[in-house]
Amino acid sequence: MKIVRTAAELRTEGSTGLVPTMGGFHEGHLSLFRSARAENRTVVASLFVNPAQFAPGEDLDRYPRDEKRDATLAEEAGVDVLFAPAAEEIYPDGFQTWVDVEEVGSILEGEYRPGHFRGVATVCLKLFNLVRPARAYFGQKDAQQVAVIKRMVRDLAVPVEIRVCPTIRDEDGLALSSRNAYLSPAERRTAPLLYQVLCDSAAALGQDPEAVAATLDRGIAQLSAGGFAVDYLELRDATDLTPMARLAGPARLLAAARIGRTRLIDNVPVLLA
């Protein structure tokens, strides 16, 4: 595996799969690498903690960083090129062009983290332009990020196929995330409640598609009683994330909640019984 730090060093052959990451690799990232490996001649993983997607006061400075470990894991999973640029390579002096996916990027996470998806969309478009992949790989855990990237690709006619891979979870259901490292032992024991409430709420809605408000209120109460500070628990259309007052088609339940200093997000599909 080759590690490169500048756009000038990027060289790929044949069909290329790109996995954009911020490092802190876990089995979720490795599953994306393996999917890309199975479908492409060349696999590029980016390793860039993107400052533009962190708001003031968020965890930019303490976000997990261990390039040596990440490089070893990436190589073992079949990555050919690890693109690990400095911030100046992505945002050179005088940078002033941003991608703002207005509607889908302003709700849910966009409401609680203003500017987050502007940073995500901009860095992803830049990576697409630098790497020129045939396919780019994202995890379903970040469902809203997927929706933002898909909308950007469609609106701007970016010639890349967006591949969405299943959420990888621990045995107790907690979705894998680099930020799970922030959890204390007690918080880690409580954290799976988020997924449990999502699953229970999805099952309830499948049985009673009219009871959206009551089901969401019950889920929020369960999370609050379990020690979470809930930002949102909402039912949204599976494609464009518009609100759903009743379950009337493919949908997702999306949640964000804090336990201690750690903010967790997750989502599950909701289907009519």
Side-chain angles (χ1 to χ4, degrees):
M1 185 185 73
K2 184 177 181 182
I3 299 176
V4 303
R5 303 194 183 278
T6 67
E9 297 174 272
L10 278 170
R11 298 287 186 273
T12 62
E13 295 182 2
S15 68
T16 298
L18 170 66
V19 184
T21 86
M22 294 204 302
F25 294 163
H26 50 65
E27 184 58 34
H29 296 102
L30 304 187
S31 71
L32 298 179
F33 300 155
R34 288 192 286 265
S35 294
R37 177 75 281 158
E39 297 178 344
N40 301 277
R41 181 174 178 182
T42 303
V43 176
V44 177
S46 63
L47 196 169
F48 178 62
V49 181
N50 179 27
Q53 66 191 69
F54 290 80
E58 290 190 339
D59 58 339
L60 174 61
D61 292 336
R62 69 184 184 119
Y63 194 86
R65 292 171 173 85
D66 189 341
E67 183 180 308
K68 183 176 180 180
R69 173 185 176 275
D70 285 347
T72 298
L73 291 173
E75 184 170 22
E76 291 174 351
V79 172
D80 298 301
V81 179
L82 186 66
F83 180 43
E88 295 75 20
E89 182 71 16
I90 302 299
Y91 304 115
D93 186 48
F95 188 92
Q96 56 184 294
T97 303
W98 301 93
V99 180
D100 195 356
V101 183
E102 292 185 343
E103 291 185 10
V104 72
S106 64
I107 58 177
L108 300 171
E109 289 298 283
E111 180 180 349
Y112 285 90
R113 304 180 67 190
H116 170 69
F117 285 119
R118 185 180 83 149
V120 170
T122 300
V123 78
C124 284
L125 182 59
K126 184 141 191 180
L127 290 169
F128 295 162
N129 286 335
L130 293 175
V131 178
R132 302 288 178 176
R135 303 168 191 88
Y137 295 78
F138 297 87
Q140 184 62 62
K141 173 184 170 290
D142 297 301
Q144 188 176 2
Q145 174 176 271
V146 168
V148 166
I149 298 304
K150 282 186 172 182
R151 173 54 60 179
M152 177 189 73
V153 164
R154 176 181 173 181
D155 288 353
L156 300 183
V158 183
V160 61
E161 177 186 354
I162 303 302
R163 303 281 281 124
V164 184
C165 300
T167 301
I168 304 299
R169 301 181 181 277
D170 274 335
E171 291 183 2
D172 58 9
L174 180 65
L176 297 188
S177 168
S178 301
R179 289 186 168 96
N180 290 353
Y182 300 157
L183 295 168
S184 71
E187 291 166 349
R188 177 61 186 81
R189 289 191 293 271
T190 301
L193 179 63
L194 182 62
Y195 179 57
Q196 179 183 330
V197 167
L198 282 169
C199 290
D200 291 347
S201 300
L205 288 170
Q207 294 293 329
D208 188 354
E210 302 289 342
V212 173
T215 300
L216 298 182
D217 286 345
R218 183 168 59 249
I220 291 171
Q222 290 172 329
L223 288 169
S224 298
F228 283 90
V230 181
D231 284 348
Y232 59 81
L233 172 63
E234 296 199 20
L235 180 71
R236 298 286 176 132
D237 179 272
T239 301
D240 61 14
L241 300 185
T242 52
M244 300 181 77
R246 64 180 298 273
L247 182 61
R252 297 199 80 84
L253 271 175
L254 301 100
R258 295 182 183 274
I259 182 167
R261 297 178 60 197
T262 305
R263 188 171 185 273
L264 303 177
I265 63 170
D266 204 348
N267 66 92
V268 297
V270 187
L271 303 173
L272 286 167

